[in-house]
Protein backbone atom coordinates (compact mmCIF):
# COMPACT_ATOMS: atom_id res chain seq x y z
CA UNK A 1 0.00 0.00 0.00
CA UNK A 2 1.23 3.47 -0.91
CA UNK A 3 1.71 6.56 1.25
CA UNK A 4 -0.82 8.85 2.92
CA UNK A 5 -1.25 12.41 1.62
CA UNK A 6 0.39 13.93 4.69
CA UNK A 7 3.37 11.54 4.77
CA UNK A 8 6.74 13.29 4.17
CA UNK A 9 8.97 12.22 1.29
CA UNK A 10 12.77 12.41 1.14
CA UNK A 11 14.04 12.81 -2.41
CA UNK A 12 17.30 11.10 -3.49
CA UNK A 13 19.21 14.39 -3.06
CA UNK A 14 18.08 14.55 0.58
CA UNK A 15 15.46 17.30 0.18
CA UNK A 16 12.48 16.55 2.41
CA UNK A 17 8.97 17.36 1.17
CA UNK A 18 6.55 17.64 4.15
CA UNK A 19 3.65 15.98 2.28
CA UNK A 20 2.69 14.52 -1.10
CA UNK A 21 0.94 17.55 -2.63
CA UNK A 22 2.85 19.73 -5.08
CA UNK A 23 1.55 23.04 -6.42
CA UNK A 24 2.05 22.44 -10.13
CA UNK A 25 3.59 24.89 -12.58
CA UNK A 26 1.20 27.32 -14.25
CA UNK A 27 1.56 30.36 -16.50
CA UNK A 28 1.10 33.20 -14.02
CA UNK A 29 1.61 36.08 -16.48
CA UNK A 30 3.05 38.29 -13.72
CA UNK A 31 6.59 39.09 -14.86
CA UNK A 32 7.75 42.63 -14.15
CA UNK A 33 9.96 44.90 -16.26
CA UNK A 34 12.79 42.99 -17.89
CA UNK A 35 10.82 39.72 -17.68
CA UNK A 36 11.85 39.34 -14.02
CA UNK A 37 9.85 38.39 -10.92
CA UNK A 38 8.61 41.26 -8.80
CA UNK A 39 6.17 42.06 -5.97
CA UNK A 40 3.11 40.66 -7.76
CA UNK A 41 4.51 37.17 -8.24
CA UNK A 42 5.97 37.20 -4.73
CA UNK A 43 2.50 38.07 -3.43
CA UNK A 44 0.74 35.11 -5.04
CA UNK A 45 3.50 32.68 -4.09
CA UNK A 46 3.34 34.05 -0.58
CA UNK A 47 -0.30 32.93 -0.49
CA UNK A 48 0.61 29.47 -1.78
CA UNK A 49 3.46 29.32 0.74
CA UNK A 50 0.87 29.58 3.53
CA UNK A 51 -1.23 26.79 2.00
CA UNK A 52 0.58 23.80 3.47
CA UNK A 53 2.01 22.35 0.23
CA UNK A 54 4.67 19.66 0.09
CA UNK A 55 6.48 21.73 -2.57
CA UNK A 56 5.82 24.68 -4.87
CA UNK A 57 6.72 24.38 -8.55
CA UNK A 58 7.11 27.77 -10.21
CA UNK A 59 5.78 28.65 -13.62
CA UNK A 60 8.37 28.13 -16.33
CA UNK A 61 11.46 30.31 -16.12
CA UNK A 62 13.31 30.97 -19.37
CA UNK A 63 16.98 30.11 -19.07
CA UNK A 64 18.41 33.37 -20.45
CA UNK A 65 17.39 35.72 -17.63
CA UNK A 66 19.57 36.61 -14.64
CA UNK A 67 19.15 39.01 -11.72
CA UNK A 68 20.14 37.67 -8.33
CA UNK A 69 18.17 40.14 -6.21
CA UNK A 70 14.88 39.55 -8.02
CA UNK A 71 15.16 35.76 -7.94
CA UNK A 72 16.28 35.77 -4.29
CA UNK A 73 13.17 37.73 -3.28
CA UNK A 74 11.02 35.30 -5.27
CA UNK A 75 12.63 32.28 -3.57
CA UNK A 76 12.19 33.86 -0.14
CA UNK A 77 8.48 34.50 -0.75
CA UNK A 78 7.95 30.89 -1.86
CA UNK A 79 9.77 29.39 1.12
CA UNK A 80 8.78 31.80 3.89
CA UNK A 81 6.86 29.07 5.73
CA UNK A 82 9.30 26.24 5.05
CA UNK A 83 7.80 24.81 1.86
CA UNK A 84 10.52 23.83 -0.66
CA UNK A 85 10.35 25.79 -3.93
CA UNK A 86 11.46 24.12 -7.16
CA UNK A 87 11.94 26.37 -10.19
CA UNK A 88 10.76 25.01 -13.52
CA UNK A 89 13.30 26.02 -16.17
CA UNK A 90 12.85 25.77 -19.93
CA UNK A 91 13.66 27.08 -23.38
CA UNK A 92 10.61 27.97 -25.53
CA UNK A 93 12.29 27.09 -28.86
CA UNK A 94 9.92 27.42 -31.87
CA UNK A 95 6.93 28.13 -29.58
CA UNK A 96 8.27 31.62 -28.91
CA UNK A 97 6.21 34.19 -30.86
CA UNK A 98 7.85 37.05 -32.71
CA UNK A 99 8.78 39.90 -30.37
CA UNK A 100 8.77 37.73 -27.23
CA UNK A 101 11.65 38.15 -24.81
CA UNK A 102 14.78 39.33 -26.59
CA UNK A 103 14.03 37.79 -30.01
CA UNK A 104 12.68 40.94 -31.67
CA UNK A 105 10.04 41.04 -34.38
CA UNK A 106 12.46 39.89 -37.08
CA UNK A 107 14.31 37.33 -34.96
CA UNK A 108 14.32 33.66 -35.94
CA UNK A 109 13.71 30.99 -33.33
CA UNK A 110 15.80 27.83 -33.09
CA UNK A 111 14.82 24.18 -32.94
CA UNK A 112 16.56 20.79 -33.23
CA UNK A 113 15.18 20.48 -36.77
CA UNK A 114 13.74 22.98 -39.26
CA UNK A 115 10.16 21.90 -38.65
CA UNK A 116 7.63 24.75 -38.23
CA UNK A 117 5.02 24.81 -35.49
CA UNK A 118 1.69 23.17 -36.34
CA UNK A 119 -1.10 25.03 -34.54
CA UNK A 120 -4.06 23.81 -36.56
CA UNK A 121 -5.41 22.88 -39.96
CA UNK A 122 -6.53 25.20 -42.72
CA UNK A 123 -5.36 28.40 -44.36
CA UNK A 124 -6.06 30.65 -41.35
CA UNK A 125 -3.90 28.52 -39.05
CA UNK A 126 -1.05 28.55 -41.58
CA UNK A 127 -1.20 32.34 -41.89
CA UNK A 128 -1.21 32.81 -38.11
CA UNK A 129 1.72 30.42 -37.74
CA UNK A 130 3.81 32.23 -40.37
CA UNK A 131 3.01 35.71 -39.03
CA UNK A 132 3.20 34.98 -35.29
CA UNK A 133 5.87 32.25 -35.07
CA UNK A 134 7.72 32.00 -38.38
CA UNK A 135 9.96 29.03 -39.19
CA UNK A 136 12.78 27.93 -36.86
CA UNK A 137 16.46 27.59 -37.70
CA UNK A 138 17.98 24.14 -37.19
CA UNK A 139 20.42 24.21 -34.26
CA UNK A 140 24.15 23.99 -34.88
CA UNK A 141 26.54 22.37 -32.42
CA UNK A 142 27.39 25.88 -31.21
CA UNK A 143 23.68 26.57 -30.61
CA UNK A 144 23.35 23.34 -28.61
CA UNK A 145 26.42 24.10 -26.50
CA UNK A 146 25.05 27.59 -25.82
CA UNK A 147 21.64 26.27 -24.74
CA UNK A 148 23.20 23.65 -22.46
CA UNK A 149 25.24 26.44 -20.88
CA UNK A 150 22.09 28.53 -20.40
CA UNK A 151 20.33 25.73 -18.52
CA UNK A 152 23.38 25.08 -16.34
CA UNK A 153 23.95 28.75 -15.54
CA UNK A 154 20.24 29.23 -14.76
CA UNK A 155 20.33 26.34 -12.26
CA UNK A 156 23.52 27.71 -10.71
CA UNK A 157 21.97 31.15 -10.22
CA UNK A 158 18.75 29.73 -8.77
CA UNK A 159 20.77 27.60 -6.33
CA UNK A 160 22.62 30.74 -5.24
CA UNK A 161 19.23 32.39 -4.69
CA UNK A 162 18.34 29.48 -2.35
CA UNK A 163 15.69 27.77 -4.41
CA UNK A 164 15.47 24.13 -3.34
CA UNK A 165 15.85 22.77 -6.85
CA UNK A 166 14.98 22.98 -10.53
CA UNK A 167 12.76 20.98 -12.86
CA UNK A 168 13.82 20.64 -16.50
CA UNK A 169 10.73 21.27 -18.64
CA UNK A 170 10.95 18.57 -21.31
CA UNK A 171 7.23 18.50 -22.12
CA UNK A 172 4.51 20.60 -23.80
CA UNK A 173 6.50 21.18 -26.98
CA UNK A 174 9.41 23.09 -25.46
CA UNK A 175 13.01 22.57 -26.59
CA UNK A 176 13.83 19.48 -24.54
CA UNK A 177 10.55 17.74 -25.33
CA UNK A 178 9.65 15.65 -28.35
CA UNK A 179 11.72 17.85 -30.68
CA UNK A 180 14.86 16.33 -29.19
CA UNK A 181 13.59 13.28 -27.31
CA UNK A 182 11.13 11.87 -29.83
CA UNK A 183 10.81 13.23 -33.34
CA UNK A 184 13.87 15.23 -34.32
CA UNK A 185 15.26 14.53 -37.80
CA UNK A 186 18.91 15.14 -36.98
CA UNK A 187 21.62 12.83 -38.30
CA UNK A 188 24.36 13.74 -35.81
CA UNK A 189 25.06 12.65 -32.21
CA UNK A 190 21.70 14.15 -31.09
CA UNK A 191 19.51 12.17 -33.50
CA UNK A 192 18.72 8.56 -34.31
CA UNK A 193 18.51 6.19 -31.33
CA UNK A 194 16.58 6.97 -28.14
CA UNK A 195 19.84 7.39 -26.23
CA UNK A 196 21.30 9.82 -28.77
CA UNK A 197 18.10 11.89 -28.79
CA UNK A 198 18.32 12.10 -24.98
CA UNK A 199 21.94 13.27 -25.03
CA UNK A 200 21.27 17.00 -24.61
CA UNK A 201 19.13 16.35 -21.53
CA UNK A 202 21.73 14.01 -20.03
CA UNK A 203 24.46 16.61 -20.63
CA UNK A 204 22.36 19.29 -18.90
CA UNK A 205 21.67 17.06 -15.88
CA UNK A 206 25.33 16.11 -15.47
CA UNK A 207 26.62 19.66 -15.83
CA UNK A 208 24.00 21.06 -13.43
CA UNK A 209 25.08 18.50 -10.83
CA UNK A 210 28.63 19.81 -11.18
CA UNK A 211 27.69 23.39 -10.20
CA UNK A 212 24.98 23.02 -7.51
CA UNK A 213 25.02 21.65 -3.95
CA UNK A 214 24.48 17.90 -3.51
CA UNK A 215 21.18 18.59 -1.74
CA UNK A 216 19.84 20.68 -4.65
CA UNK A 217 16.94 18.89 -6.35
CA UNK A 218 16.98 18.23 -10.11
CA UNK A 219 13.72 16.90 -11.57
CA UNK A 220 12.37 16.53 -15.08
CA UNK A 221 8.92 16.91 -16.65
CA UNK A 222 7.98 14.67 -19.57
CA UNK A 223 4.91 14.14 -21.72
CA UNK A 224 3.10 10.87 -21.20
CA UNK A 225 3.22 8.36 -24.05
CA UNK A 226 0.75 5.83 -25.37
CA UNK A 227 1.86 2.34 -24.25
CA UNK A 228 0.65 1.00 -27.60
CA UNK A 229 2.65 3.53 -29.64
CA UNK A 230 5.74 2.50 -31.59
CA UNK A 231 8.01 4.88 -29.62
CA UNK A 232 6.85 3.76 -26.16
CA UNK A 233 9.91 1.57 -25.58
CA UNK A 234 12.14 4.50 -26.55
CA UNK A 235 10.39 6.66 -23.94
CA UNK A 236 10.92 4.00 -21.26
CA UNK A 237 14.60 3.67 -22.09
CA UNK A 238 15.05 7.45 -21.94
CA UNK A 239 13.37 7.59 -18.53
CA UNK A 240 15.76 4.90 -17.34
CA UNK A 241 18.68 6.98 -18.60
CA UNK A 242 17.41 10.04 -16.72
CA UNK A 243 17.02 7.96 -13.57
CA UNK A 244 20.57 6.66 -13.92
CA UNK A 245 21.75 10.25 -14.40
CA UNK A 246 20.40 11.12 -10.96
CA UNK A 247 17.12 12.97 -11.43
CA UNK A 248 15.26 13.30 -8.14
CA UNK A 249 11.79 12.97 -9.62
CA UNK A 250 9.93 12.55 -12.90
CA UNK A 251 6.77 14.56 -13.51
CA UNK A 252 4.31 13.13 -16.02
CA UNK A 253 2.14 15.53 -17.98
CA UNK A 254 0.98 16.09 -21.56
CA UNK A 255 -0.06 18.48 -24.32
CA UNK A 256 1.75 21.23 -26.23
CA UNK A 257 1.09 24.51 -28.04
CA UNK A 258 0.31 22.37 -31.06
CA UNK A 259 -2.48 20.56 -29.23
CA UNK A 260 -3.04 22.23 -25.83
CA UNK A 261 -6.70 21.23 -25.53
CA UNK A 262 -5.77 17.62 -24.71
CA UNK A 263 -4.33 18.63 -21.35
CA UNK A 264 -7.59 18.75 -19.42
CA UNK A 265 -9.90 16.13 -20.94
CA UNK A 266 -11.04 13.16 -18.87
CA UNK A 267 -9.55 10.77 -21.41
CA UNK A 268 -6.17 12.48 -21.22
CA UNK A 269 -6.19 12.36 -17.42
CA UNK A 270 -6.76 8.60 -17.55
CA UNK A 271 -3.98 8.47 -20.16
CA UNK A 272 -1.55 10.02 -17.64
CA UNK A 273 -2.59 7.47 -15.02
CA UNK A 274 -2.08 4.53 -17.38
CA UNK A 275 1.36 5.81 -18.40
CA UNK A 276 2.32 6.32 -14.74
CA UNK A 277 1.24 2.77 -13.94
CA UNK A 278 3.37 1.39 -16.77
CA UNK A 279 6.34 3.51 -15.68
CA UNK A 280 6.00 2.38 -12.07
CA UNK A 281 5.92 -1.29 -13.07
CA UNK A 282 9.05 -1.02 -15.19
CA UNK A 283 11.02 1.53 -13.14
CA UNK A 284 9.87 1.17 -9.51
CA UNK A 285 12.69 3.24 -7.98
CA UNK A 286 11.99 6.52 -9.80
CA UNK A 287 10.04 9.10 -7.78
CA UNK A 288 6.91 9.88 -9.81
CA UNK A 289 4.96 13.15 -9.72
CA UNK A 290 1.64 12.80 -11.53
CA UNK A 291 -0.06 16.02 -12.64
CA UNK A 292 -3.39 16.43 -14.39
CA UNK A 293 -7.03 16.18 -13.38
CA UNK A 294 -6.84 15.62 -9.63
CA UNK A 295 -9.58 17.51 -7.82
CA UNK A 296 -10.45 15.58 -4.64
CA UNK A 297 -9.08 13.86 -1.56
CA UNK A 298 -10.60 10.57 -2.69
CA UNK A 299 -8.96 10.66 -6.11
CA UNK A 300 -5.55 11.65 -4.75
CA UNK A 301 -5.62 9.08 -1.97
CA UNK A 302 -6.60 6.36 -4.45
CA UNK A 303 -3.61 7.12 -6.71
CA UNK A 304 -1.17 7.27 -3.80
CA UNK A 305 -2.48 4.16 -2.02
CA UNK A 306 -2.36 2.19 -5.27
CA UNK A 307 1.33 3.09 -5.54
CA UNK A 308 0.85 4.63 -8.98
CA UNK A 309 2.74 7.78 -7.97
CA UNK A 310 4.68 9.24 -5.05
CA UNK A 311 3.54 12.84 -5.48
CA UNK A 312 0.48 14.53 -6.96
CA UNK A 313 0.66 17.84 -8.82
CA UNK A 314 -2.25 20.26 -8.41
CA UNK A 315 -2.69 23.17 -10.82
CA UNK A 316 -6.02 24.92 -11.28
CA UNK A 317 -7.53 23.84 -7.93
CA UNK A 318 -4.52 25.57 -6.33
CA UNK A 319 -5.67 28.83 -7.91
CA UNK A 320 -9.24 28.48 -6.69
CA UNK A 321 -8.06 27.26 -3.25
CA UNK A 322 -4.46 28.29 -2.43
CA UNK A 323 -4.89 26.31 0.83
CA UNK A 324 -5.96 23.16 -1.03
CA UNK A 325 -3.62 20.89 1.03
CA UNK A 326 -5.21 22.06 4.28
CA UNK A 327 -8.64 21.23 2.86
CA UNK A 328 -7.50 17.68 2.07
CA UNK A 329 -5.46 16.98 5.20
CA UNK A 330 -7.97 18.39 7.70
CA UNK A 331 -10.24 15.44 8.45
CA UNK A 332 -12.95 17.73 9.85
CA UNK A 333 -13.87 18.11 6.17
CA UNK A 334 -15.71 15.10 4.77
CA UNK A 335 -14.61 13.45 1.52
CA UNK A 336 -17.54 15.18 -0.17
CA UNK A 337 -16.29 18.56 1.06
CA UNK A 338 -12.59 17.90 0.37
CA UNK A 339 -12.74 18.68 -3.34
CA UNK A 340 -12.53 21.62 -5.74
CA UNK A 341 -14.88 21.09 -8.66
CA UNK A 342 -15.24 23.40 -11.66
CA UNK A 343 -16.33 23.37 -15.28
CA UNK A 344 -14.14 23.53 -18.35
CA UNK A 345 -13.59 26.99 -19.83
CA UNK A 346 -15.47 27.14 -23.17
CA UNK A 347 -13.38 27.15 -26.34
CA UNK A 348 -13.81 30.55 -28.04
CA UNK A 349 -15.94 30.67 -31.17
CA UNK A 350 -13.04 32.10 -33.19
CA UNK A 351 -10.79 29.16 -32.24
CA UNK A 352 -13.42 26.69 -33.39
CA UNK A 353 -14.15 28.64 -36.58
CA UNK A 354 -10.50 29.03 -37.64
CA UNK A 355 -9.41 25.59 -36.34
CA UNK A 356 -6.51 27.08 -34.37
CA UNK A 357 -5.87 24.80 -31.40
CA UNK A 358 -3.62 27.19 -29.50
CA UNK A 359 -6.51 29.64 -29.06
CA UNK A 360 -8.56 26.93 -27.37
CA UNK A 361 -5.85 26.17 -24.84
CA UNK A 362 -5.25 29.90 -24.42
CA UNK A 363 -8.79 30.41 -23.11
CA UNK A 364 -8.08 28.10 -20.14
CA UNK A 365 -4.75 29.80 -19.47
CA UNK A 366 -6.22 33.31 -19.65
CA UNK A 367 -9.11 32.45 -17.34
CA UNK A 368 -6.87 31.11 -14.59
CA UNK A 369 -4.34 33.90 -15.05
CA UNK A 370 -7.24 36.23 -14.30
CA UNK A 371 -7.91 34.31 -11.08
CA UNK A 372 -4.22 34.51 -10.13
CA UNK A 373 -4.41 38.28 -10.60
CA UNK A 374 -7.36 38.30 -8.20
CA UNK A 375 -5.18 36.60 -5.57
CA UNK A 376 -2.54 39.29 -6.10
CA UNK A 377 -5.22 41.96 -5.58
CA UNK A 378 -6.46 40.27 -2.39
CA UNK A 379 -9.78 39.27 -3.99
CA UNK A 380 -11.64 35.97 -3.79
CA UNK A 381 -11.30 33.62 -6.76
CA UNK A 382 -14.23 31.92 -8.48
CA UNK A 383 -14.63 28.81 -10.62
CA UNK A 384 -15.56 28.88 -14.32
Amino acid sequence: MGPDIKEPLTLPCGLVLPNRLVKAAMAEGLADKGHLPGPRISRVYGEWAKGGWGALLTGNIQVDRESLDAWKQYADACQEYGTPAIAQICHPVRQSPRGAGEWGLCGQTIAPSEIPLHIGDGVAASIVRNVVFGSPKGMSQSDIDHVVGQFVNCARVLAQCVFSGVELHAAHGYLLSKHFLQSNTRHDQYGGSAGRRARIVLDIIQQIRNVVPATFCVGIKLNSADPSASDFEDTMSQIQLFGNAGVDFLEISGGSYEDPTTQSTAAREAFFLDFATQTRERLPNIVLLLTGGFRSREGIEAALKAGVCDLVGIGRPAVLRPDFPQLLIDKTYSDQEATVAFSKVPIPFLARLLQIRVLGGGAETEYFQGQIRRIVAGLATYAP
Side-chain angles (χ1 to χ4, degrees):
M1 180 174 287
D4 185 79
I5 290 174
K6 62 178 181 294
E7 183 178 324
L9 173 65
T10 302
L11 297 177
C13 66
L15 178 66
V16 178
L17 310 187
N19 62 58
R20 302 305 174 112
L21 299 175
V22 176
K23 195 289 292 178
M26 288 174 284
E28 309 98 348
L30 295 176
D32 271 13
K33 184 178 180 181
H35 315 293
L36 293 170
R40 295 185 303 162
I41 204 162
S42 292
R43 171 69 185 274
V44 71
Y45 274 87
E47 291 300 310
W48 278 318
K50 294 186 291 187
W53 296 90
L56 301 180
L57 266 171
T58 72
N60 63 59
I61 294 169
Q62 307 309 319
V63 295
D64 63 346
R65 306 304 307 165
E66 181 173 334
S67 177
L68 290 175
D69 288 344
W71 295 111
K72 179 66 167 61
Q73 291 171 16
Y74 186 11
D76 289 346
C78 293
Q79 300 176 137
E80 182 179 358
Y81 298 91
T83 301
I86 299 170
Q88 185 184 84
I89 60 177
C90 80
H91 191 297
V93 74
R94 64 180 189 172
Q95 293 185 162
S96 181
R98 298 183 191 274
E102 306 300 325
W103 285 110
L105 290 175
C106 297
Q108 186 178 20
T109 59
I110 57 174
S113 308
E114 296 178 3
I115 302 173
L117 194 67
H118 179 69
I119 62 172
D121 301 317
V123 175
S126 296
I127 292 173
V128 170
R129 180 197 68 202
N130 292 333
V131 171
V132 177
F133 295 99
S135 296
K137 175 179 78 74
M139 295 173 70
S140 66
Q141 182 64 54
S142 176
D143 291 328
I144 291 174
D145 292 341
H146 179 67
V147 166
V148 170
Q150 286 180 309
F151 273 96
V152 174
N153 184 63
C154 183
R156 178 188 60 79
V157 169
L158 293 170
Q160 289 178 345
C161 294
V162 204
F163 275 93
S164 295
V166 293
E167 179 188 60
L168 305 180
H169 197 338
H172 299 179
Y174 292 111
L175 177 67
L176 301 182
S177 67
K178 64 181 181 180
H179 307 299
F180 262 112
L181 296 179
Q182 296 172 345
S183 60
N184 83 61
T185 59
R186 301 180 70 94
H187 299 288
D188 60 4
Q189 59 189 325
Y190 298 97
S193 69
R196 290 162 73 97
R197 296 197 307 273
R199 176 170 178 166
I200 187 172
V201 179
L202 296 171
D203 287 348
I204 290 170
I205 294 169
Q206 179 182 10
Q207 292 187 38
I208 286 176
R209 287 294 189 201
N210 292 338
V211 300
V212 299
T215 55
F216 190 76
C217 166
V218 179
I220 187 167
K221 181 174 187 174
L222 297 179
N223 278 17
S224 60
D226 185 348
S228 65
S230 60
D231 61 353
F232 181 73
E233 293 300 327
D234 283 357
T235 301
M236 287 293 106
S237 66
Q238 288 173 341
I239 291 174
Q240 182 67 71
L241 289 171
F242 301 148
N244 293 342
V247 294
D248 290 290
F249 68 88
L250 163 66
E251 181 181 6
I252 297 170
S253 185
S256 69
Y257 270 25
E258 294 178 289
D259 195 4
T261 57
T262 62
Q263 294 181 45
S264 57
T265 66
R268 189 69 181 180
E269 289 155 14
F271 196 48
F272 295 168
L273 197 62
D274 185 41
F275 180 74
T277 301
Q278 294 271 355
T279 304
R280 172 65 82 212
E281 290 176 355
R282 291 167 175 252
L283 307 168
N285 296 323
I286 288 182
V287 175
L288 289 181
L289 165 59
L290 184 58
T291 300
F294 289 104
R295 304 284 184 262
S296 67
R297 177 195 292 156
E298 287 184 307
I300 292 169
E301 284 184 339
L304 291 171
K305 294 297 184 185
V308 173
C309 57
D310 304 286
L311 298 162
V312 171
I314 305 295
R316 289 159 187 163
V319 177
L320 302 177
R321 283 290 301 257
D323 63 346
F324 186 72
Q326 297 173 13
L327 175 66
L328 268 59
I329 292 172
D330 187 347
K331 292 297 185 178
T332 61
Y333 294 101
S334 68
D335 285 348
Q336 290 69 35
E337 294 171 314
T339 185
V340 175
F342 52 92
S343 302
K344 185 174 174 61
V345 176
I347 297 176
F349 172 75
L350 187 62
R352 289 184 276 115
L353 177 66
L354 299 180
Q355 301 180 46
I356 300 177
R357 298 188 187 103
V358 68
L359 295 179
E364 292 268 356
T365 299
E366 177 57 32
Y367 181 88
F368 282 93
Q369 282 184 345
Q371 299 307 304
I372 290 173
R373 289 192 290 269
R374 290 182 67 84
I375 296 174
V376 173
L379 302 174
T381 58
Y382 52 88

